[in-house]
């Protein structure tokens, strides 16, 4: 659609001023991995930690978003891309509002994760790859979805009947089969320590 007749407004209070008020920078921590890899568990622990130290946070989670704003999208490759594009735009708004956003989405396609990075600006994007093997995810089968995927009840299931393109250059990689939740939180917290600091 042409944007010819739509002009952007510029409001007086800026992102920088909101960050200053909060006393920290705002950016996106993008957690990608297979279903059951540990994304939500890690996001939950990380948010709790950041909240305790006075950081304004917000978690955007796959299951939750797909119950609301993205409830019209399926798991086809096109709809997954549109899902991730919208989350990128939502993340940008939250970053503008001064929040540290934690996004937990399977986001199986490299090109879609790169798109989010472009939408929010590369310097505002921290990629975390929760690297748990498909065998372990299936063994956990937290929601019983792998069983349904194996029986054919759920088509296009990531790792079984739909692809997952692992990140090649993630900022942080977490192997949940050998690292516990505390180690994962520490790793992320340590990586973002400098990024959080608000500079005049
Ligand atoms: N076909 C298929 N493939 C993968 N996942 C499925 C599917 N159908 C339903 N679910 C449930 O949806 C959650 C993933 O949603 P996402 O928005 O993160 O997926 S995606 O990024 O658009 O690929 C995912 O949540 P997590 O287990 O937390 O990853 C599943 O509970
Ligand atoms: N080191 C770990 N980090 C995260 N989750 C782990 C770890 N070890 C075991 N788990 C378990 O794996 C499961 C991951 O589920 P969940 O966080 O919902 O995954 P996802 O959001 O990726 O679908 C939980 O039951 C969690 O307790």
């Amino acid at each position: 659609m042409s944007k010819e007749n739509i002009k952007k407004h510029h409001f007086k209070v800026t992102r920088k001023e909101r960050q200053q008020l909060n006393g920290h920078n705002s950016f996106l921590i993008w957690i990608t991995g297979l279903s059951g890899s540990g994304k939500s568990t890690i996001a939950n622990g990380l948010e709790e930690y950041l909240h305790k130290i006075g950081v304004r946070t917000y978690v955007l989670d796959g299951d939750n978003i797909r119950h609301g704003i993205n409830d019209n999208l399926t798991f086809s490759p096109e709809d997954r891309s549109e899902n991730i594009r919208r989350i990128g735009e939502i993340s940008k708004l939250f970053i503008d509002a001064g929040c540290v956003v934690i996004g937990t989405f399977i986001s199986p396609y490299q090109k879609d994760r790169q798109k989010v990075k472009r939408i929010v600006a590369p310097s505002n994007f921290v990629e975390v790859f929760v690297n748990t093997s498909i065998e372990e995810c299936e063994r956990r089968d937290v929601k019983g979805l792998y069983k349904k995927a194996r029986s054919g009840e759920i088509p296009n299931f990531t790792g079984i009947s739909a692809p997952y393109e692992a990140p090649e250059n993630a900022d942080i990689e977490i192997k949940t089969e050998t690292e516990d939740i505390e180690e994962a939180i520490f790793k992320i917290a340590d990586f973002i320590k400098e990024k959080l600091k608000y500079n005049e």
Side-chain angles (χ1 to χ4, degrees), residues 33-36 39-40 61-63 66 74-75 79-80 83-84 104-108 143 145 154-158:
L34 293 169
S35 175
K39 302 181 298 295
S40 309
D61 179 86
D63 280 319
R66 280 178 173 278
T74 69
F75 286 89
D79 277 9
R80 287 187 201 243
N83 180 40
I84 299 307
T104 71
F105 297 88
I106 297 179
S107 45
K143 303 171 196 158
L145 299 178
I154 307 179
N156 303 322
F157 196 81
T158 309

Side-chain angles (χ1 to χ4, degrees), residues 90-108:
I90 296 169
S91 299
K92 188 177 168 184
L93 298 179
F94 272 91
I95 294 171
D96 240 358
C99 285
V100 170
V101 187
I102 305 170
T104 71
F105 297 88
I106 297 179
S107 45

Side-chain angles (χ1 to χ4, degrees), residues 152-170:
E153 201 182 318
I154 307 179
N156 303 322
F157 196 81
T158 309
I160 305 288
S161 44
Y164 178 77
E165 297 169 4
E168 283 165 12
N169 289 305

Side-chain angles (χ1 to χ4, degrees), residues 33-42 61 104 130 136 140 142-143 174-177 179-181 184:
L34 293 169
S35 175
S37 58
K39 302 181 298 295
S40 309
T41 305
I42 292 166
D61 179 86
T104 71
V130 182
E136 174 62 10
R140 291 179 188 167
V142 186
K143 303 171 196 158
I174 292 160
K175 296 191 169 173
T176 67
E177 283 149 278
E179 296 168 77
D180 64 19
I181 298 162

Side-chain angles (χ1 to χ4, degrees), residues 101-147:
V101 187
I102 305 170
T104 71
F105 297 88
I106 297 179
S107 45
Y109 299 112
Q110 178 78 17
K111 69 165 182 18
D112 294 335
R113 297 190 298 263
Q114 289 307 111
K115 190 169 196 174
V116 174
K117 187 172 180 172
R118 279 199 304 276
I119 291 172
V120 300
S123 60
N124 291 327
F125 184 84
V126 175
E127 189 172 44
V128 180
F129 174 28
V130 182
N131 189 355
T132 308
S133 67
I134 184 76
E135 293 78 16
E136 174 62 10
C137 292
E138 192 166 2
R139 195 194 58 74
R140 291 179 188 167
D141 207 2
V142 186
K143 303 171 196 158
L145 299 178
Y146 282 94
K147 194 158 173 254

